Amino acid sequence: MNRRSLILGGTALVALAGCSGSKFKRYAGPQVTYVVVNKEERRMYLMHHDKVLTHHKVKLGFTPVGHKTFEGDGRTPEGRYVIDRRNPNSRFHLSLGISYPNQKDVETALAMGKRPGGDIFIHGQEHPRRKDKGDWTWGCIAVTNRQIEDIYAMVGDGTPIQINA
């Protein structure tokens, strides 16, 4: 190949890469100081102190009623936790980790002779073209891939999350 072809080809690749949408967005608005999830109404609110910045419909664990008590019960935890990690390579597009289990969760599960489980996340969809109907996760909080891109940009590690019944 000649030099001109290489330069034109490289320029075309850079131009095409600029056209493709990145799943990593930037957010320059007010800080999200708190996340609230109301399981019964299937809503998640991103808060700046007492002001709602945005809200999203969510899907929950396939057994949505009640607090998660052990691994595999299909429930989404209830209580106060924090966003403690992020996974840019999640099989569910992007994901934000929730600090479940806490010490009380561990003690409750062990008293039942069970493991508490873990790996509870706010995440996107595994199959974005499929419309997920009903609650389908193993205890996580799911939103669309477009929504998790915004949430991922807006919510920092250490942000408290309150998950209500």
Side-chain angles (χ1 to χ4, degrees), residues 1-3 5-6:
M1 257 188 189
N2 66 30
R3 185 174 178 192
S5 295
L6 283 174

PDB file of all heavy atoms in Angstrom, residues 1-3 5-6:
ATOM      1  N   MET A   1       0.839  -1.193   0.000  1.00  0.00           N
ATOM      2  CA  MET A   1       0.000   0.000   0.000  1.00  0.00           C
ATOM      3  C   MET A   1       0.873   1.242   0.000  1.00  0.00           C
ATOM      4  O   MET A   1       1.890   1.275   0.667  1.00  0.00           O
ATOM      5  CB  MET A   1      -0.843   0.031   1.271  1.00  0.00           C
ATOM      6  CG  MET A   1      -2.250  -0.354   1.100  1.00  0.00           C
ATOM      7  SD  MET A   1      -3.130  -0.030   2.648  1.00  0.00           S
ATOM      8  CE  MET A   1      -4.604  -0.806   2.191  1.00  0.00           C
ATOM      9  N   ASN A   2       0.403   2.237  -0.657  1.00  0.00           N
ATOM     10  CA  ASN A   2       1.182   3.459  -0.647  1.00  0.00           C
ATOM     11  C   ASN A   2       0.776   4.333   0.551  1.00  0.00           C
ATOM     12  O   ASN A   2      -0.232   4.110   1.207  1.00  0.00           O
ATOM     13  CB  ASN A   2       1.073   4.211  -1.983  1.00  0.00           C
ATOM     14  CG  ASN A   2      -0.319   4.739  -2.241  1.00  0.00           C
ATOM     15  OD1 ASN A   2      -1.045   5.049  -1.315  1.00  0.00           O
ATOM     16  ND2 ASN A   2      -0.685   4.848  -3.510  1.00  0.00           N
ATOM     17  N   ARG A   3       1.598   5.299   0.793  1.00  0.00           N
ATOM     18  CA  ARG A   3       1.427   6.164   1.963  1.00  0.00           C
ATOM     19  C   ARG A   3       0.096   6.914   1.927  1.00  0.00           C
ATOM     20  O   ARG A   3      -0.592   7.045   2.930  1.00  0.00           O
ATOM     21  CB  ARG A   3       2.594   7.130   2.019  1.00  0.00           C
ATOM     22  CG  ARG A   3       2.593   7.985   3.216  1.00  0.00           C
ATOM     23  CD  ARG A   3       3.856   8.807   3.257  1.00  0.00           C
ATOM     24  NE  ARG A   3       3.801   9.658   4.419  1.00  0.00           N
ATOM     25  CZ  ARG A   3       4.616  10.657   4.629  1.00  0.00           C
ATOM     26  NH1 ARG A   3       5.567  10.913   3.775  1.00  0.00           N
ATOM     27  NH2 ARG A   3       4.484  11.378   5.701  1.00  0.00           N
ATOM     28  N   SER A   5      -2.762   6.013   0.545  1.00  0.00           N
ATOM     29  CA  SER A   5      -3.864   5.100   0.887  1.00  0.00           C
ATOM     30  C   SER A   5      -3.941   4.874   2.393  1.00  0.00           C
ATOM     31  O   SER A   5      -5.027   4.820   2.972  1.00  0.00           O
ATOM     32  CB  SER A   5      -3.692   3.757   0.173  1.00  0.00           C
ATOM     33  OG  SER A   5      -3.801   3.923  -1.221  1.00  0.00           O
ATOM     34  N   LEU A   6      -2.787   4.710   3.024  1.00  0.00           N
ATOM     35  CA  LEU A   6      -2.762   4.526   4.482  1.00  0.00           C
ATOM     36  C   LEU A   6      -3.320   5.745   5.206  1.00  0.00           C
ATOM     37  O   LEU A   6      -4.096   5.628   6.153  1.00  0.00           O
ATOM     38  CB  LEU A   6      -1.336   4.234   4.955  1.00  0.00           C
ATOM     39  CG  LEU A   6      -0.817   2.834   4.708  1.00  0.00           C
ATOM     40  CD1 LEU A   6       0.655   2.739   5.087  1.00  0.00           C
ATOM     41  CD2 LEU A   6      -1.625   1.826   5.489  1.00  0.00           C
TER      42      LEU A   6
END
